[in-house]
Amino acid sequence: MCTVTISYDKNNKVASEKLAALLGTGLFVQLDRHDDIDIDATDRSLYDIDPSLPEIDNDLTPEELERLILEDVHSKLS
């Protein structure tokens, strides 16, 4: 098990939809409180992007994002 921390603009409709799609996959759960995790959010290395990851199209619909995530998970389980 691991903890993934993301930040997004709660007032951004697209960001909220994409977060909902991500949570809708059932692969992640949302913790209600930040106290539940022991992470130093000021650690800049937490925000580094892994260069081996594919570049993501920021214009994906929530459904497209969900499909990509599920395809990736299924490929790793096979």
Side-chain angles (χ1 to χ4, degrees):
M1 178 176 174
C2 71
T3 301
V4 176
T5 303
I6 62 169
S7 62
Y8 71 103
D9 178 0
K10 293 178 184 178
N11 298 318
N12 183 314
K13 183 180 176 187
V14 174
S16 295
E17 289 172 352
K18 289 185 179 188
L19 176 61
L22 182 63
L23 293 173
T25 65
L27 298 171
F28 301 93
V29 294
Q30 186 171 4
L31 298 177
D32 292 330
R33 298 171 14 138
H34 292 288
D35 298 340
D36 295 342
I37 54 176
D38 184 25
I39 293 179
D40 177 8
T42 63
D43 180 357
R44 299 309 303 163
S45 69
L46 294 174
Y47 304 99
D48 292 344
I49 296 174
D50 184 344
S52 68
L53 294 174
E55 201 163 312
I56 296 178
D57 180 357
N58 290 330
D59 294 326
L60 293 175
T61 65
E63 293 79 15
E64 291 169 324
L65 179 61
E66 179 180 15
R67 181 184 52 76
L68 286 175
I69 292 169
L70 291 175
E71 285 176 0
D72 185 51
V73 169
H74 288 145
S75 72
K76 294 194 179 5
L77 294 175
S78 300

